[in-house]
Amino acid sequence: MNTMSSITTKTPPTAEPAYLKIKNHVLSQIQNGVWQEGDLIPTEMALCEQFQVSRMTVNRALRELTGDQLLVRIKGSGTYVAQPKFQSTLIEIRSIAQDIRERGHRHTSRVLQLDTKAASKVQLQRFGLAAGTQLFHSLIIHHDNGIPIQLEDRVVDASIAPDYLKQDWELMTPNEYLMRVAPLPTGDYTIEVRFPLRKSPELWISKQASPVC
Amino acid sequence: MNTMSSITTKTPPTAEPAYLKIKNHVLSQIQNGVWQEGDLIPTEMALCEQFQVSRMTVNRALRELTGDQLLVRIKGSGTYVAQPKFQSTLIEIRSIAQDIRERGHRHTSRVLQLDTKAASKVQLQRFGLAAGTQLFHSLIIHHDNGIPIQLEDRVVDASIAPDYLKQDWELMTPNEYLMRVAPLPTGDYTIEVRFPLRKSPELWISKQASPVC
DNA sequence: AAGTGGTCTAGACCACAGT
DNA sequence: CTGTGGTCTAGACCACTTA
């Protein structure tokens, strides 16, 4: 018997789910500066009472905003407005291997070339390197489920990553290695991407030069 | 009284939450090819029985995987393995304005310079343009809550975006405009980013040349 | 009509932080 | 110790798809 119970006044025809209402409320509090970066925001219980919903609903809203990097939640302490991360404002430098794994695919790679050269005049000028700087050069092909998907042509300042040539690039990608060795890109970073050719979008060519100063 | 109840055999010392176990199970089914792209995967109820958990737990696992683009869920129909999107494998070209708004901040911008020039020899060669190609050049500063955060120095092939100079760049960013005019980057795309200077990470300089062929 | 996912509830136990 | 977030349950109603 689904006859209307006498008490519940549920779902007025607004149609917007409660967890979205809460997300938007939190968002606007932050946008309007009511809650500043680093501030402690109301607890789940407080929001439950304010919105007259159960705790799981508030929890979902706050958890999703945490995933969006807008909030930081600390067990036993509270929920805070996150500091913005400026690192990834314009472009996000990603790991191709991580991307493939996140898609649920198998990532493999093959090293085609690996050598050392002195920086050319163009490179010296372009990245502001000292004359005589040695550069490592690697050419690696990445596969997604066995399909070649990206050809990575990378140049790295030898003084930044002296053990570059000794790595096993079929285990860890240069991106992942350099993130460990020099996690904060403090110098110039240039990425050139050749987008998929019309009609054959399977193979990308990526040139990456990372002579972190 | 928290004496152990006689029935519940909860939380064996594995410590891994149930929703993560389910996520990992789904992931490995996909990675091992048991569930292929486009396949219908078991229903929430089926997974409830398989893992002996409540539906909300299964729902959370599948909902998060949907957010990660690994699954597609259709109300009334079922849950399917998603098709991978290759568009954003290496780098993700983002809208600075969108980024700022997603952080809950206010985005404004000011046009410093806007003009037309013939492509230089270096540009002709670098992007493989026909001699005499006209290029638009814009210099725009982006603010995050009033703080200058990025100086965008962009060069665009005039034949791709003939109305480039007529746009109101304080309403829409060049990125957003070009995504509408030429949504599929079929040619070369070069991005140069000067990362934040040590100690003053507030201002980025970004040069973007987008002469889509 | 039966099945599916989308949402929600009113509880609960736990680990942890800040007294 | 109290309060917080992290997780989980066993139900429930709804909108939608599929047959």
Side-chain angles (χ1 to χ4, degrees):
Chain A
M1 331 250 138
N2 323 14
T3 50
M4 216 190 284
S5 70
S6 52
I7 302 174
T8 54
T9 334
K10 292 293 171 47
T11 44
T14 44
E16 193 188 29
Y19 79 93
L20 275 183
K21 285 204 187 81
I22 299 170
K23 282 182 76 168
N24 288 331
H25 172 254
V26 172
L27 244 168
S28 74
Q29 293 297 99
I30 294 174
Q31 277 173 335
N32 298 339
V34 183
W35 299 340
Q36 309 266 337
E37 282 152 23
D39 281 1
L40 190 60
I41 79 167
T43 67
E44 294 190 344
M45 278 310 298
L47 291 168
C48 286
E49 296 199 359
Q50 181 179 344
F51 286 88
Q52 288 296 297
V53 295
S54 95
R55 206 190 131 206
M56 275 300 280
T57 302
V58 171
N59 182 270
R60 172 171 177 183
L62 299 187
R63 179 156 37 82
E64 291 188 1
L65 290 171
T66 303
D68 294 344
Q69 312 272 13
L70 262 155
L71 299 176
V72 173
R73 316 198 74 194
I74 300 176
K75 194 193 319 191
S77 175
T79 302
Y80 303 82
V81 179
Q83 318 287 136
K85 317 163 312 176
F86 287 100
Q87 281 75 355
S88 61
T89 299
L90 210 213
I91 58 171
E92 192 180 356
I93 298 168
R94 311 208 58 191
S95 160
I96 172 81
Q98 191 180 325
D99 245 39
I100 288 175
R101 288 187 211 110
E102 279 172 5
R103 272 206 294 274
H105 290 189
R106 177 173 42 90
H107 169 265
T108 53
S109 62
R110 196 156 58 87
V111 177
L112 302 182
Q113 192 181 320
L114 200 57
D115 53 38
T116 313
K117 268 196 315 194
S120 71
K121 281 180 190 164
V122 171
Q123 287 168 327
L124 290 176
Q125 187 221 327
R126 183 160 181 182
F127 302 113
L129 300 173
T133 300
Q134 293 288 307
L135 297 178
F136 294 136
H137 181 210
S138 60
L139 197 63
I140 299 174
I141 190 156
H142 297 272
H143 305 257
D144 175 325
N145 277 352
I147 302 168
I149 208 75
Q150 184 183 104
L151 180 63
E152 177 193 318
D153 184 357
R154 183 183 289 261
V155 176
V156 177
D157 185 335
S159 64
I160 293 301
D163 295 329
Y164 191 80
L165 295 186
K166 299 177 196 161
Q167 301 306 309
D168 182 350
W169 295 131
E170 317 209 343
L171 281 182
M172 195 192 312
T173 67
N175 245 344
E176 290 164 346
Y177 174 67
L178 291 170
M179 291 294 268
R180 294 170 58 100
V181 171
L184 299 176
T186 53
D188 285 352
Y189 215 101
T190 301
I191 297 173
E192 292 181 49
V193 180
R194 182 171 302 270
F195 276 88
L197 306 172
R198 311 156 203 280
K199 299 294 170 56
S200 60
E202 284 80 15
L203 185 59
W204 293 22
I205 297 172
S206 93
K207 294 192 81 154
Q208 300 203 354
S210 343
V212 183
C213 301
Chain B
M1 349 231 129
N2 321 14
T3 51
M4 216 192 284
S5 71
S6 52
I7 303 175
T8 54
T9 331
K10 293 293 167 48
T11 44
T14 45
E16 192 188 30
Y19 78 93
L20 275 184
K21 285 204 187 82
I22 299 170
K23 283 182 74 168
N24 289 332
H25 172 254
V26 172
L27 245 168
S28 73
Q29 293 297 99
I30 294 174
Q31 278 172 335
N32 298 339
V34 183
W35 301 340
Q36 308 268 337
E37 283 152 22
D39 281 1
L40 189 60
I41 78 166
T43 67
E44 294 191 345
M45 278 310 297
L47 290 168
C48 286
E49 296 199 1
Q50 180 178 346
F51 286 87
Q52 288 294 298
V53 296
S54 94
R55 206 189 129 207
M56 276 299 281
T57 302
V58 171
N59 181 270
R60 174 171 177 183
L62 298 186
R63 179 155 38 81
E64 291 186 1
L65 289 172
T66 302
D68 294 343
Q69 312 272 14
L70 261 156
L71 298 177
V72 173
R73 316 199 72 192
I74 300 176
K75 192 191 324 189
S77 175
T79 302
Y80 303 82
V81 179
Q83 319 287 137
K85 316 164 313 175
F86 288 98
Q87 280 75 356
S88 59
T89 299
L90 210 212
I91 60 172
E92 192 180 357
I93 296 166
R94 312 208 56 188
S95 160
I96 171 80
Q98 192 181 324
D99 245 38
I100 288 175
R101 288 187 211 110
E102 277 173 5
R103 272 206 296 272
H105 289 188
R106 177 173 42 91
H107 169 263
T108 53
S109 63
R110 197 156 58 86
V111 178
L112 302 181
Q113 193 182 319
L114 200 57
D115 53 37
T116 312
K117 267 197 312 195
S120 72
K121 281 180 192 165
V122 171
Q123 287 168 327
L124 289 177
Q125 187 222 326
R126 183 159 181 182
F127 302 112
L129 300 172
T133 300
Q134 294 288 307
L135 296 178
F136 296 136
H137 181 210
S138 60
L139 197 64
I140 299 175
I141 190 156
H142 297 271
H143 304 258
D144 175 325
N145 277 352
I147 301 167
I149 209 75
Q150 183 183 104
L151 181 63
E152 177 193 318
D153 185 356
R154 185 183 287 261
V155 176
V156 178
D157 186 335
S159 63
I160 294 299
D163 295 329
Y164 190 81
L165 296 185
K166 300 177 193 160
Q167 303 305 311
D168 182 350
W169 295 131
E170 317 209 342
L171 281 182
M172 195 191 312
T173 67
N175 246 343
E176 290 164 346
Y177 173 67
L178 291 171
M179 291 294 267
R180 294 169 58 100
V181 172
L184 299 176
T186 52
D188 284 353
Y189 216 101
T190 301
I191 297 173
E192 292 180 48
V193 180
R194 182 170 302 273
F195 275 87
L197 307 172
R198 310 157 204 280
K199 298 298 170 54
S200 59
E202 284 79 15
L203 186 58
W204 292 22
I205 299 172
S206 92
K207 296 191 81 158
Q208 300 203 353
S210 341
V212 182
C213 301

